[in-house]
Amino acid sequence: MQNAAPTLRLEGVAKSFGPVAALRSGTLVVQPGSIHALVGENGAGKSTLVKIVGGVHRRDAGVVELDGEPVDFTGPAEAKAAGVAVIHQEPASFPDLTVAENIYLGREPLGRFRRIDRRAMRAGARELFRDLGVDLDPDRPAEGLSIADQQIVEIAKAISLDARLLVMDEPTAALSAVEVRRLFAVARGLRDAGRAVVFISHRLDEVADLCDTVTVMRDGEHVSTDPVAGVTADELVRRMVGRAVSDLYPKVPSTPGEVVLRVEGLQSTGTFHDVSFEVRAGEIVGLAGLVGAGRSEIARAVFGVDRYDAGRVAVDGRTLRPGDPTAAIAAGLALVPEDRRLEGLVTESSVARNVSAVSRRRLARLGILLPDAEARLARDWSGRLAVKAGALDAVATTMSGGNQQKVVLAKWLATGPKVLIVDEPTRGIDVGTKAEVHRLLSTLAAEGLAVLMISSELPEVLGMADRVLVVREGRIVAALDRADATPETVMRAATPGASSERGDAA
Amino acid sequence: MTALTALLRRREAGIALALLVVIGVTTAIQPGFLLSSGGWRDLLLTPAILVVLAVGQAVVVITRNVDLSVGSMLGLTAYLAGRLFIDVPDLPIVVVALVAVAAGAVLGLVNGSIVAFARVPALVITLGTLYVYRGVALTWAGSDRIDAGDMPRAFLALGTRQVLGVPVLTIVAAVVLAVVAYYMYTSRGGRQLYAIGSDPDAAELQGLPVRRRLLGAFALNGALAGLAGVMFAARYGTVSSGAGVGLELQVVGAVVVGGVAIFGGSGTVVGAALGAMLLLTINRALPVVGIPDFWQRAVVGALIIGAIALDRVLARRRSHRLAAERDTDQPGGAGPADREEATP
């Protein structure tokens, strides 16, 4: 088998987005009839590599070969036509179409006169769901499906393509144990039929269970490729991290003070339920959980951007009016949102304008903004956060992700908040700047700020937080002290069905 | 749910019902509205042109776009048809109609190309071409007007002739509606148009031929505007450079009233056609029932706002229901366990 050309061969593949190099040197060789694990921390470049294989992005440099033939996909359709099926990390379904239509979109079974054969389509979807062991109605609209069910639809779609190469980017993150087991059975079936499967997961027990070969990536580069049997989980983790954890997460010790933010019984139908917690001055509370568990939605409701159906939010004992961010800001709340380009910055505006955006009323006399005051404020905070911008009138789009994030932080810190909510504070930021952001958050907490930090990066939560709250399917299912929070305890609490079933499956 | 209740719960059923109520009430007050031969003919004939335009517009709106230049395209193609009758007297009527349809398709394709390739919002682009196309018509026609005398009698007869009690133009509109509705429901391309409107980014990620589909939607809309131009010339017998001014608002109104979501992805061309019939029938019914001119416009406005409000309410209720279903499906952490038992 080793003599035949590998199904997929990548060598030295690179891809940059503006100033950020997402993938420096991606190398991956996948043999037919094998299940190949790809592991690495978030931001290691796995998803970028997958998107290049799937035709979503075009590489800047390097070699991509399918069955020995060099390929250069200009779009997902070409990749699909070449026999590459990809399950992306974020399910991309069409809410207005039915589940069956979503699966067969663009290649619906046709009857007479090239008319869509809905009966065949429905039957096909039912059969796929039976193979996967799930009970989904092919005729219901995709709107309102849970993340897990959306993921199932994606998997069914990819399997029905009958591709020679199936790439799954964290397909199990939202699935229950039984669904995972069924998926593994399907993957093994494909392997035995001589197909190649690439499997990306953060769960090393799954890797050991399912895969035969494992490739480790770190900071956009290939680290190692070994048979799964020949390498221990500890060794894999060491290669994935590749540096001492304490450097990345400089935690300044602080003593928690009074309760500043208190959330009681917060509820929003279909999103989160009975959410209660408190954050003390000087404390960093981590909100951990899987993507889609409802963490960002909770943060948005607390801040007043989204409405909620029941419960209350209080700052310093005073209840906030629901759905009123202005009141929340006045009470001392600040929210650094998940998507800084979309929600955090006016990207076409200057650094000074962005920093002063929320504090403007304070900087104005009789409704007229004083430019000197604005410049002074911007200079103070940019200096304190070491924003690397050519000048304060530089436009935000020209800056790197890390510096943009610092500008957003500066904007909110300039309002003098008591509670800072940060949603994925270091997503898409290079390692060096990451550590700077961490140091800053840690210092602010030590100075008495209450920090609520949402993060999908487990090491970040564990490294930074004094307490960890785990959110699963819209509920807080665990509150762990720093000493008790380990990757295992957090992941077990965060994963649906993990506590009872996941262990056996591995 | 039986097939009948499923049919009754459809949005189109509600519009059809509203249409029947309007006709019923007006006929009760003034029997001639429906029960005279002229009344019957007007009821069917008046909406024919708007139905054709609404069908084309619905296809564009379903892709999360809009084409505001339809009124100008209609004016330009109507004038083109008239000009052809004058300048090339021996040309068969069918050829003139085909040329106008083709011209409309080209105009629509121009709109579609700018939207698909330059990625500028359709609202802005077609607002621009609305004026450009009208400007072309004004320059070309000037103060010239094509009258009934300039066009062949057989052509004008199409505007009023009936087959088995149904006006020819209504038959044309019905055929257009049937063909497009069939395409949208049963073809791959039709379902892709819905997918593109439902989530344009996901459509790209899925590798759907987004540009080609958008071009197709705009070209179809243009072609139907061209057909509507020919119908306009046949029906009214006079075409000036101002033909079809302001029609775009009526068309978009009809589409919205017909339950096609302005954000794309949902609604049907049948609904849009019913919306067009409802709008124009109400327009004719209100004076009959004795409602003053000012209030007639207000009623049409209220209808459009009401339709949009209804859409929002229904959409919110639906997503709330689907979300609540999910909650009861998986009560907290026990959810996956329930599901395990449920699967055989």
Side-chain angles (χ1 to χ4, degrees):
Chain A
M1 197 176 287
Q2 295 291 331
N3 299 330
T7 304
L8 176 69
R9 192 173 81 86
L10 276 81
E11 191 154 333
V13 175
K15 176 77 192 173
S16 297
F17 299 100
V20 181
L23 191 60
R24 291 172 212 280
S25 170
T27 295
L28 182 67
V29 179
V30 186
Q31 302 295 341
S34 105
I35 303 179
H36 196 118
L38 186 58
V39 298
E41 285 189 298
N42 284 351
K46 294 168 298 181
S47 292
T48 308
L49 186 145
V50 166
K51 285 186 173 159
I52 288 170
V53 173
V56 178
H57 296 324
R58 273 185 100 169
R59 62 181 183 272
D60 298 337
V63 180
V64 180
E65 287 177 5
L66 270 182
D67 283 335
E69 297 284 316
V71 290
D72 184 13
F73 301 131
T74 56
E78 280 183 27
K80 237 186 239 179
V84 179
V86 181
I87 302 169
H88 291 288
Q89 209 171 348
E90 312 87 12
S93 58
F94 301 99
D96 296 302
L97 303 188
T98 68
V99 165
E101 283 179 334
N102 264 287
I103 292 176
Y104 287 105
L105 190 66
R107 48 193 183 83
E108 294 91 344
L110 296 178
R112 287 204 301 164
F113 309 118
R114 293 187 55 76
R115 182 181 193 279
I116 293 174
D117 185 347
R118 270 165 216 273
R119 189 172 305 193
M121 193 162 83
R122 209 171 290 139
R126 282 231 172 79
E127 195 171 321
L128 286 166
F129 290 148
R130 200 172 48 238
D131 288 349
L132 288 167
V134 293
D135 187 24
L136 258 180
D137 177 8
D139 285 327
R140 67 156 284 164
E143 185 185 354
L145 283 180
S146 70
I147 297 280
D149 287 342
Q150 287 184 40
Q151 196 65 262
I152 295 278
V153 171
E154 289 292 307
I155 292 166
K157 191 192 299 179
I159 291 172
S160 71
L161 274 170
D162 203 25
R164 56 177 151 169
L165 174 67
L166 174 64
V167 184
M168 302 189 278
D169 194 352
E170 295 201 41
T172 59
L175 301 189
S176 76
V178 168
E179 289 162 347
V180 168
R181 225 153 32 205
R182 297 276 190 159
L183 175 62
F184 283 10
V186 171
R188 290 194 184 98
L190 290 172
R191 175 195 63 193
D192 296 342
R195 313 289 165 77
V197 179
V198 175
F199 179 77
I200 297 179
S201 176
H202 280 300
R203 299 182 53 89
L204 296 179
D205 53 343
E206 287 180 355
V207 169
D209 182 30
L210 178 69
C211 307
D212 42 54
T213 318
V214 55
T215 290
V216 179
M217 287 183 72
R218 182 176 71 222
D219 299 340
E221 287 179 19
H222 174 265
V223 176
S224 68
T225 300
D226 299 280
V228 165
V231 58
T232 63
D234 286 346
E235 177 60 22
L236 286 179
V237 171
R238 203 187 55 72
R239 288 183 194 164
M240 280 159 61
V241 179
R243 66 187 89 82
V245 174
S246 55
D247 295 348
L248 259 182
Y249 308 107
K251 176 80 183 144
V252 181
S254 70
T255 36
E258 293 292 302
V259 170
V260 186
L261 174 69
R262 188 190 298 277
V263 176
E264 284 171 7
L266 214 59
Q267 172 135 352
S268 171
T269 308
T271 318
F272 53 81
H273 310 275
D274 195 23
V275 171
S276 302
F277 62 89
E278 48 192 47
V279 185
R280 293 168 182 277
E283 187 182 42
I284 299 182
V285 173
L287 215 48
L290 302 173
V291 172
R295 296 165 304 164
S296 300
E297 289 76 7
I298 292 171
R300 290 169 58 88
V302 167
F303 189 63
V305 186
D306 293 346
R307 300 199 151 267
Y308 42 90
D309 302 330
R312 75 182 198 108
V313 176
V315 175
D316 277 343
R318 291 225 324 272
T319 304
L320 292 183
R321 223 164 72 100
D324 184 357
T326 315
I329 294 170
L333 272 179
L335 172 69
V336 176
E338 189 176 2
D339 188 334
R340 59 181 162 268
R341 286 204 184 82
L342 212 62
E343 300 173 326
L345 282 171
V346 183
T347 44
E348 284 81 20
S349 281
S350 69
V351 172
R353 273 285 148 80
N354 270 297
V355 170
S356 68
V358 195
S359 315
R360 236 163 244 167
R361 185 159 298 178
R362 210 155 42 83
L363 299 175
R365 290 285 171 278
L366 302 171
I368 295 164
L369 185 68
L370 304 175
D372 286 355
E374 184 180 56
R376 203 175 319 120
L377 180 93
R379 207 175 310 117
D380 283 357
W381 283 103
S382 309
R384 205 173 150 197
L385 270 60
V387 174
K388 292 183 200 74
L392 289 176
D393 56 6
V395 176
T397 23
T398 60
M399 298 164 47
S400 74
N403 275 307
Q404 288 184 354
Q405 186 69 319
K406 285 186 193 168
V407 171
V408 181
L409 274 167
K411 170 174 82 176
W412 286 108
L413 293 174
T415 64
K418 294 177 193 141
V419 183
L420 179 67
I421 307 173
V422 283
D423 195 350
E424 304 287 0
T426 60
R427 176 177 287 178
I429 292 180
D430 61 275
V431 179
T433 317
K434 242 179 198 178
E436 270 183 67
V437 171
H438 290 146
R439 194 166 299 122
L440 179 74
L441 288 176
S442 201
T443 313
L444 289 166
E447 286 168 10
L449 189 70
V451 179
L452 179 65
M453 181 179 75
I454 299 171
S455 175
S456 297
E457 294 190 36
L458 209 44
E460 183 170 84
V461 175
L462 298 176
M464 298 296 300
D466 295 293
R467 276 192 305 132
V468 179
L469 305 175
V470 184
V471 182
R472 178 174 79 203
E473 290 170 349
R475 289 167 199 276
I476 294 186
V477 290
L480 305 164
D481 281 328
R482 187 174 172 80
D484 302 330
T486 63
E488 289 73 32
T489 52
V490 174
M491 277 317 289
R492 195 172 303 134
T495 314
S499 41
S500 57
E501 287 283 348
R502 265 286 172 83
D504 315 344
Chain B
M1 195 157 49
T2 66
L4 184 67
T5 52
L7 188 71
L8 288 178
R9 285 181 68 162
R10 289 196 65 95
R11 176 67 191 276
E12 291 78 19
I15 309 159
L17 189 70
L19 184 59
L20 290 179
V21 168
V22 169
I23 295 171
V25 169
T26 318
T27 308
I29 294 170
Q30 172 69 263
F33 186 69
L34 176 64
L35 301 176
S36 66
S37 70
W40 171 248
R41 200 198 67 172
D42 283 349
L43 188 71
L44 292 179
L45 187 55
T46 314
I49 292 173
L50 195 63
V51 163
V52 170
L53 291 173
V55 166
Q57 188 71 242
V59 173
V60 173
V61 173
I62 281 169
T63 67
R64 203 181 279 191
N65 284 290
V66 70
D67 192 336
L68 292 181
S69 69
V70 280
S72 301
M73 290 198 283
L74 179 140
L76 200 51
T77 51
Y79 190 77
L80 172 71
R83 228 33 269 179
L84 281 176
F85 282 128
I86 297 172
D87 297 345
V88 196
D90 296 330
L91 219 52
I93 293 170
V94 179
V95 175
V96 171
L98 286 178
V99 169
V101 169
V106 170
L107 296 176
L109 208 54
V110 170
N111 290 342
S113 308
I114 305 175
V115 171
F117 289 100
R119 295 180 178 267
V120 187
L123 188 79
V124 184
I125 289 304
T126 57
L127 187 63
T129 52
L130 181 160
Y131 287 105
V132 173
Y133 294 164
R134 183 62 68 190
V136 172
L138 280 168
T139 313
W140 189 17
S143 57
D144 179 30
R145 211 170 74 166
I146 293 167
D147 287 311
D150 301 328
M151 290 187 268
R153 199 162 297 161
F155 178 68
L156 293 172
L158 287 177
T160 45
R161 224 178 68 204
Q162 305 189 17
V163 176
L164 299 172
V166 182
V168 173
L169 295 189
T170 308
I171 296 174
V172 170
V175 168
V176 164
L177 172 61
V179 169
V180 177
Y182 185 80
Y183 174 81
M184 291 300 281
Y185 185 68
T186 65
S187 76
R188 287 180 177 174
R191 299 325 288 173
Q192 290 181 2
L193 291 173
Y194 278 95
I196 291 165
S198 189
D199 190 336
D201 295 338
E204 293 275 359
L205 202 62
Q206 292 282 310
L208 298 187
V210 176
R211 281 183 183 163
R212 209 176 75 212
R213 294 285 171 233
L214 288 184
L215 289 179
F218 276 95
L220 174 69
N221 182 47
L224 291 183
L227 179 64
V230 177
M231 292 165 76
F232 184 95
R235 166 120 168 79
Y236 297 106
T238 54
V239 181
S240 70
S241 60
V245 167
L247 203 53
E248 56 280 344
L249 297 181
Q250 239 179 354
V251 175
V252 175
V255 167
V256 169
V257 168
V260 178
I262 202 78
F263 296 117
S266 70
T268 63
V269 290
V270 174
L274 285 169
M277 292 177 72
L278 181 60
L279 267 188
L280 290 187
T281 306
I282 284 186
N283 259 344
R284 287 196 313 114
L286 293 178
V288 174
V289 213
I291 292 178
D293 195 46
F294 168 76
W295 288 106
Q296 292 170 25
R297 285 168 183 273
V299 166
V300 172
L303 197 66
I304 293 173
I305 292 171
I308 293 174
L310 182 69
D311 269 343
R312 289 297 304 157
V313 170
L314 290 179
R316 185 171 297 187
R317 208 189 272 173
R318 187 168 85 141
S319 70
H320 222 78
R321 197 191 68 227
L322 289 170
E325 262 173 29
R326 197 165 81 210
D327 283 355
T328 49
D329 260 10
Q330 308 181 352
D338 288 355
R339 190 185 289 169
E340 280 163 33
E341 284 159 18
T343 49

